[in-house]
Amino acid sequence: MNKPEFYPCLPLRDIVIFPGMIAPLFVGRDKSIKALNEVMKNNKKIILVTQKNAEIDDPAAGDLYSFGCESKILQLLKLPDGTVKVLVEGIDRVKIVECDNYKEFLKASIEVVKDKIDEKEDLLSFSLAMIRKLEKLTNLNKKISSELLTSLKDQKNASKIADHISGLLNISIFEKQKLLETIDLKLRLEKLMELINNEINVIGVEKRIRGRVKNQMEQTQREYYLNEQMKAIQKELGEIEEGKDELGNYQKAIIKAKMSKEATKKCISELKKLKTMSSMSAEATVVRNYLDWMTELPWHSKTKKIDNIDLNESKKILDKDHYGLDKVKERIIEYLAVQKRVGKIKGAILCLVGPPGVGKTSLGKSIARATGRKFVRMSLGGIRDEAEIRGHRRTYIGSLPGKIIQQMKKAGSKNPLFLLDEIDKVGSDYRGDPSSALLEALDPEQNANFNDHYLEVDYDLSDVMFVTTANTLNILPPLLDRLEVIRIPGYTEDEKINIANNYLLPKQMKDNGLKESELTLKSNVIQDVIRSYTRESGVRNLEREISKLARKTVKNIVVNKTPKNEINTENLNEFLGIKKFKYGEIETEDKVGIVTGLAWTEFGGEILKIESATMPGKGKMQITGKLGDVMQESVKAAKSYIRSKSLEFGIIPPVFEKKDFHIHVPEGATPKDGPSAGIAMVTSIVSSITGVPVDKNIAMTGEVTLRGHVLPIGGLKEKLLAAHRAGIPKVIIPEENRKDLADIPKKILDKIVVHTVKNVDEVLKIALTKELKPVEWIEVESLPKSKSGEKQSTGSTH
Ligand SMILES: Nc1ncnc2c1ncn2[C@@H]1O[C@H](COP(=O)(O)OP(=O)(O)OP(=O)(O)O)[C@@H](O)[C@H]1O
Ligand SMILES: [Mg+2]
């Protein structure tokens, strides 16, 4: 046996060389370089064997795999750092028979291994199928060039194809070595196929995961990018100040607002939400709006404390702003005194009730001034939706807090005077009941935790001083129950003259820029204005007419150059036009069927003419003049009463079947209602049937029952003021209203004679110009004269 030949052997750390494979190697180890030198010198072959463990520097025979590749060196290049780069080509698969670690380098004797091939198998087709698989893999990872693939396809040797592909695949050294050691070609091909399939699967999964991650990344990156761009644009446009730190500012504002604990917590959690949102999203805008509202509401700041009020000072302020109204002012001062004592707003809420223009709203303002509070006003007229008071939930786009919270923000202090105007005009319908929200706001027991839908947290209204106003007492009962009503019935002529001279005229002169020397009003001018140009309980129209006087004067000064203007009763119409009202509404003569009634409406007291006429007919009754149900019923009651008493009034009953009645209340366009025209109806009908005229100087008011009793009425003061305005000297009122006369200004009682009555007979006696004679009994001749009454009565008992 020949002594086996030993070849230089090069241990490889991280590569397996297959037959037919060309690969560059970097060689740095001393022994390896020596081995290469030996090869170059003797033009020998070199054995390339892979180390089992790449980390061993000087591997012995046992550290190497037992299969390697006999190769030749194609090129060798010495690099400046002493290492060598070689290009090698694998030639044959070899088995290491013996290996020695010599001093200079490793040497090995080998045995060339030939593939085991089963000739029956069509291994070439198998390998071609594998190339197609490889193509698919290449499409996925693009690591193998297309030229390589085409050259592979041209190969006709399955073994070479297998080795070539083995060298290309991205698999572990261990797997590669296994492929190298598989001698059965079919087995090798199958193994290779499995590896390619695995690789394809892995790449597929990887790709899917990468795709998903990339998508998410892209979206957030896109948003971030766009936002940054938007910010840059806004900065460029000057919309954002440089360095503005929105979140930080909110943080500061929240602390500064000194909210309740609950509110602070809520705001901080909203702020956290805001941080995670993209700053331009619609949601972020909603949160920002919310934080703006919360931080701008007055949670803490108060103007003057209740216990610091000087009530004398307050009284002075009230007096300065309004003439008269002594009782009202006194009530207000009492109310304030109690508050000052208690230190808190407790108890009922003031409600100023009266006709338009009597100063309810301006009195509210004045109370605010007198107590050193901010003034805010909210009109309740026509509010039907609870959300207007309590706000919309934040889920609605563009939702806002309710009006109460809105006004609180406007007030800017926690303890303003909050005027709820026209509380009698609150309605309720399918959109919810605003009065329930109002109740909560007004109730001192509940309003420390007022709940607005938008804010979501409670807001403390307990320091707010609520004052309400209304024209009528027609207020929802639960609301009315919480109110302390103060009535302002209207002004007498004298009061109006005073108000005009001391308040309205100076105010209008100032507003119109007039100096005192430029306009003089002669005496009685104001009275004339009141009598001929206004007919009202309050002073709003009066103020308007005075403003007209001032305006026209200014025009005179500017256009006609008349520096001094004097207005007297003669030239008044040059300023105000023709008279609008005739002063005094007394008829010129006593007339049949015409009665002056006194009514009360939300505009104050008023004169009501009632007319009735009879005509031949069938006893029908017609009522016109837009009378409400109650008034129509009172007409019917009046008629029934008259029928039942007809003989006493000198009326012969068949009249009721033979005549038609028409009752009319002129100024048909204005609706009228209420029972208080009862006695006027009776008087009018009786007068028209009997033909006895009614005293033109008398006005009357009183409800009437079917038995002829006169019942008391409301609004006496307003009614008497109206009678006074109309210049009526005599008034009939129910006896039970006598006590109310105490409230009537003496000046009025001096001018009007007031008759109090208990029943209709008394009314007729006073109002009709002739006394009524009862119908005399018509004696029936056949009955014995003296016993007729007895006969009848005994007759009825049998
Ligand atoms: N006693 C008064 N002294 C001085 N000015 C008065 C007085 N009463 C009313 N005024 C003036 O009359 C004007 C109308 O008053 P205001 O608007 O307060 O009426 P109001 O009672 O609220 O009416 P409405 O029921 O229509 O709301 C105001 O300019 C007010 O200053
Ligand atoms: Mg008002």
Side-chain angles (χ1 to χ4, degrees):
M1 220 174 106
N2 287 347
K3 201 183 166 217
E5 193 175 355
F6 276 84
Y7 298 95
C9 178
L10 194 70
L12 304 176
R13 283 184 202 264
D14 51 2
I15 188 167
V16 178
I17 303 291
F18 286 88
M21 176 174 166
I22 297 175
L25 300 174
F26 287 90
V27 182
R29 287 184 271 192
D30 260 2
K31 278 189 174 178
S32 301
I33 292 174
K34 281 180 187 152
L36 285 177
N37 283 338
E38 172 72 17
V39 174
M40 294 307 284
K41 240 191 270 166
N42 304 327
N43 202 8
K44 275 196 177 179
K45 288 178 190 156
I46 188 164
I47 311 300
L48 302 176
V49 195
T50 309
Q51 289 177 214
K52 287 179 188 163
N53 184 352
E55 278 161 26
I56 297 176
D57 267 342
D58 183 12
D63 296 328
L64 301 176
Y65 284 113
S66 54
F67 270 66
C69 193
E70 178 187 335
S71 317
K72 66 177 177 197
I73 293 177
L74 302 180
Q75 235 178 44
L76 188 141
L77 199 68
K78 286 196 172 142
L79 297 175
D81 61 348
T83 58
V84 176
K85 184 184 172 188
V86 280
L87 194 64
V88 295
E89 183 184 1
I91 298 167
D92 271 323
R93 187 179 255 99
V94 296
K95 191 171 180 213
I96 312 290
V97 180
E98 208 184 323
C99 182
D100 275 327
N101 194 5
Y102 286 93
K103 246 198 197 128
E104 312 91 86
F105 46 81
L106 272 171
K107 277 185 183 172
S109 67
I110 51 155
E111 190 180 291
V112 173
V113 184
K114 289 289 166 212
D115 287 345
K116 211 169 113 193
I117 299 172
D118 187 347
E119 294 296 340
K120 279 180 267 167
E121 301 273 354
D122 183 5
L123 292 176
L124 187 61
S125 310
F126 197 148
S127 59
L128 288 179
M130 198 163 62
I131 294 176
R132 274 197 294 279
K133 267 268 163 352
L134 192 66
E135 233 171 348
K136 198 169 161 197
L137 181 64
T138 317
N139 283 341
L140 288 174
N141 70 2
K142 307 253 179 329
K143 276 190 184 146
I144 301 165
S145 71
S146 47
E147 295 94 64
L148 242 169
L149 273 174
T150 31
S151 74
L152 264 179
K153 273 183 205 161
D154 292 341
Q155 266 287 355
K156 295 286 176 267
N157 183 331
S159 174
K160 285 193 174 157
I161 293 176
D163 283 341
H164 203 147
I165 294 177
S166 303
L168 291 175
L169 280 187
N170 184 23
I171 52 177
S172 68
I173 297 297
F174 179 70
E175 301 271 15
K176 282 196 178 180
Q177 185 66 34
K178 255 184 158 172
L179 282 172
L180 186 68
E181 292 178 13
T182 310
I183 297 161
D184 186 333
L185 183 56
K186 189 183 166 216
L187 260 180
R188 191 173 340 138
L189 286 171
E190 277 171 2
K191 216 177 252 173
L192 208 47
M193 192 71 156
E194 196 188 315
L195 286 169
I196 294 178
N197 273 338
N198 271 351
E199 183 81 359
I200 290 178
N201 278 345
V202 169
I203 289 186
V205 171
E206 236 175 37
K207 208 168 184 174
R208 272 204 299 280
I209 294 176
R210 209 181 314 131
R212 220 174 289 154
V213 172
K214 198 171 153 219
N215 256 350
Q216 285 168 1
M217 291 278 290
E218 266 175 5
Q219 201 159 336
T220 43
Q221 266 173 353
R222 192 169 153 265
E223 267 174 28
Y224 174 78
Y225 176 72
L226 287 177
N227 278 335
E228 286 301 308
Q229 217 168 22
M230 175 98 94
K231 268 189 213 156
I233 292 173
Q234 282 174 334
K235 213 179 266 176
E236 208 51 44
L237 290 174
E239 283 174 21
I240 304 182
E241 296 149 45
E242 190 89 28
K244 185 177 158 189
D245 168 19
E246 188 190 34
L247 297 173
N249 285 349
Y250 275 128
Q251 187 97 35
K252 272 183 228 151
I254 292 171
I255 296 167
K256 205 174 138 209
K258 292 192 190 160
M259 304 176 190
S260 63
K261 256 194 198 149
E262 188 197 7
T264 313
K265 225 165 116 190
K266 174 90 189 155
C267 279
I268 287 180
S269 90
E270 292 290 322
L271 190 61
K272 266 191 201 148
K273 260 196 238 166
L274 185 62
K275 275 181 198 163
T276 61
M277 287 175 189
S278 132
S279 68
M280 292 299 150
S281 66
E283 252 192 323
T285 316
V286 171
V287 174
R288 240 179 265 132
N289 273 347
Y290 178 77
L291 288 174
D292 284 342
W293 271 104
M294 290 290 276
T295 49
E296 280 166 33
L297 267 180
W299 292 91
H300 192 74
S301 77
K302 284 187 193 177
T303 52
K304 212 171 191 176
K305 298 251 165 57
I306 301 172
D307 27 352
N308 283 344
I309 309 174
D310 177 355
L311 288 182
N312 289 324
E313 196 57 38
S314 304
K315 177 82 173 42
K316 265 188 210 151
I317 294 176
L318 290 181
D319 282 340
K320 199 168 158 244
D321 291 348
H322 290 89
Y323 172 84
L325 299 173
D326 292 335
K327 274 199 175 166
V328 178
K329 289 176 189 164
E330 206 178 300
R331 285 279 291 280
I332 293 170
I333 294 292
E334 283 167 15
Y335 186 85
L336 295 181
V338 173
Q339 281 188 7
K340 186 175 164 149
R341 252 293 164 89
V342 182
K344 194 89 190 142
I345 297 171
K346 282 271 156 166
I349 282 147
L350 289 181
C351 177
L352 307 169
V353 180
V358 292
K360 300 182 296 297
T361 307
S362 66
L363 203 55
K365 247 184 234 171
S366 187
I367 300 175
R369 232 157 64 79
T371 53
R373 289 166 190 268
K374 295 265 173 66
F375 176 79
V376 281
R377 199 183 82 101
M378 160 179 172
S379 180
L380 294 171
I383 287 193
R384 300 189 169 277
D385 190 350
E386 195 196 353
E388 287 194 53
I389 293 180
R390 226 196 255 285
H392 283 286
R393 295 199 184 280
R394 259 199 300 154
T395 38
Y396 296 105
I397 297 280
S399 51
L400 282 177
K403 287 217 168 114
I404 292 190
I405 293 295
Q406 288 184 21
Q407 293 296 339
M408 289 307 293
K409 177 178 159 191
K410 196 169 145 200
S413 86
K414 205 178 156 222
N415 64 339
L417 184 138
F418 202 127
L419 189 76
L420 295 165
D421 242 348
E422 306 186 52
I423 198 164
D424 52 339
K425 310 278 192 306
V426 190
S428 76
D429 63 11
Y430 63 95
R431 279 167 292 190
D433 186 356
S435 64
S436 65
L438 270 186
L439 280 182
E440 193 188 322
L442 292 181
D443 190 340
E445 303 296 329
Q446 297 183 44
N447 66 9
N449 307 316
F450 178 72
N451 188 276
D452 185 280
H453 290 327
Y454 182 84
L455 296 192
E456 287 172 27
V457 293
D458 290 343
Y459 185 81
D460 181 4
L461 290 176
S462 63
D463 286 315
V464 179
M465 177 173 177
F466 285 101
V467 174
T468 61
T469 81
N471 287 129
T472 66
L473 273 180
N474 217 342
I475 301 171
L476 296 171
L479 270 179
L480 185 56
D481 198 45
R482 284 168 175 74
L483 304 178
E484 179 167 342
V485 173
I486 300 182
R487 299 195 70 134
I488 311 181
Y491 297 113
T492 63
E493 192 175 277
D494 286 331
E495 285 172 327
K496 284 184 186 175
I497 292 174
N498 266 310
I499 294 173
N501 283 329
N502 300 323
Y503 296 83
L504 306 180
L505 189 59
K507 186 171 145 206
Q508 290 303 331
M509 301 232 329
K510 192 173 156 230
D511 288 354
N512 288 289
L514 275 176
K515 285 188 211 106
E516 222 165 284
S517 58
E518 290 170 328
L519 174 65
T520 341
L521 294 187
K522 285 279 166 195
S523 59
N524 285 347
V525 169
I526 293 289
Q527 188 180 28
D528 252 23
V529 174
I530 294 169
R531 287 185 175 179
S532 307
Y533 294 91
T534 69
R535 185 181 289 167
E536 58 176 352
S537 306
V539 291
R540 190 170 283 133
N541 286 330
L542 178 59
E543 187 171 13
R544 209 170 285 146
E545 296 299 331
I546 290 176
S547 139
K548 208 164 165 184
L549 287 181
R551 229 170 34 235
K552 298 252 155 136
T553 312
V554 173
K555 194 194 100 188
N556 271 351
I557 296 170
V558 177
V559 180
N560 306 338
K561 311 271 185 253
T562 43
K564 284 201 163 52
N565 291 271
E566 188 187 280
I567 303 177
N568 52 38
T569 45
E570 274 79 49
N571 69 1
L572 183 59
N573 55 1
E574 290 169 23
F575 288 81
L576 298 184
I578 50 164
K579 293 183 175 176
K580 290 183 188 152
F581 303 100
K582 196 170 95 209
Y583 176 70
E585 289 167 77
I586 309 176
E587 296 286 333
T588 41
E589 49 187 300
D590 301 336
K591 284 195 180 138
V592 170
I594 297 187
V595 179
T596 309
L598 292 171
W600 182 83
T601 69
E602 56 185 271
F603 302 107
E606 270 192 89
I607 294 289
L608 204 65
K609 287 273 187 253
I610 292 161
E611 307 174 348
S612 59
T614 57
M615 57 215 89
K618 289 180 181 159
K620 270 194 291 180
M621 189 164 72
Q622 215 180 352
I623 306 166
T624 53
K626 207 168 181 190
L627 308 192
D629 288 346
V630 179
M631 208 177 227
Q632 294 211 15
E633 278 167 13
S634 91
V635 175
K636 284 177 194 151
K639 193 179 159 199
S640 300
Y641 169 70
I642 295 165
R643 274 188 91 150
S644 70
K645 289 282 206 158
S646 55
L647 293 176
E648 279 177 38
F649 297 153
I651 302 167
I652 299 165
V655 165
F656 293 100
E657 266 82 54
K658 287 183 187 153
K659 289 199 167 173
D660 281 353
F661 295 81
H662 187 163
I663 290 118
H664 178 64
V665 186
E667 294 189 44
T670 24
K672 311 159 190 92
D673 205 0
S676 70
I679 58 172
M681 297 285 180
V682 173
T683 312
S684 170
I685 299 173
V686 170
S687 158
S688 67
I689 300 178
T690 57
V692 179
V694 183
D695 184 347
K696 64 179 192 313
N697 291 322
I698 283 187
M700 59 183 80
T701 177
E703 180 177 351
V704 73
T705 68
L706 267 185
R707 307 254 203 100
H709 291 303
V710 178
L711 300 182
I713 44 83
L716 183 71
K717 185 171 177 192
E718 286 92 334
K719 287 174 177 173
L720 287 184
L721 284 175
H724 178 65
R725 275 204 296 281
I728 291 166
K730 268 194 268 181
V731 167
I732 301 176
I733 64 166
E735 170 69 27
E736 284 180 56
N737 282 108
R738 180 189 283 274
K739 60 180 187 326
D740 301 329
L741 288 174
D743 282 343
I744 312 293
K746 197 169 165 296
K747 286 220 161 158
I748 290 194
L749 293 181
D750 283 349
K751 295 228 175 88
I752 297 180
V753 182
V754 178
H755 297 273
T756 56
V757 294
K758 281 193 195 132
N759 57 50
V760 173
D761 290 347
E762 292 173 61
V763 177
L764 294 177
K765 240 180 226 146
I766 301 166
L768 294 182
T769 48
K770 258 198 292 176
E771 204 177 326
L772 296 175
K773 291 253 162 56
V775 175
E776 297 214 345
W777 284 100
I778 305 159
E779 309 284 342
V780 180
E781 275 179 13
S782 58
L783 295 172
K785 211 176 184 178
S786 57
K787 289 189 177 170
S788 62
E790 279 174 34
K791 272 246 159 149
Q792 271 181 355
S793 65
T794 46
S796 60
T797 50
H798 281 289

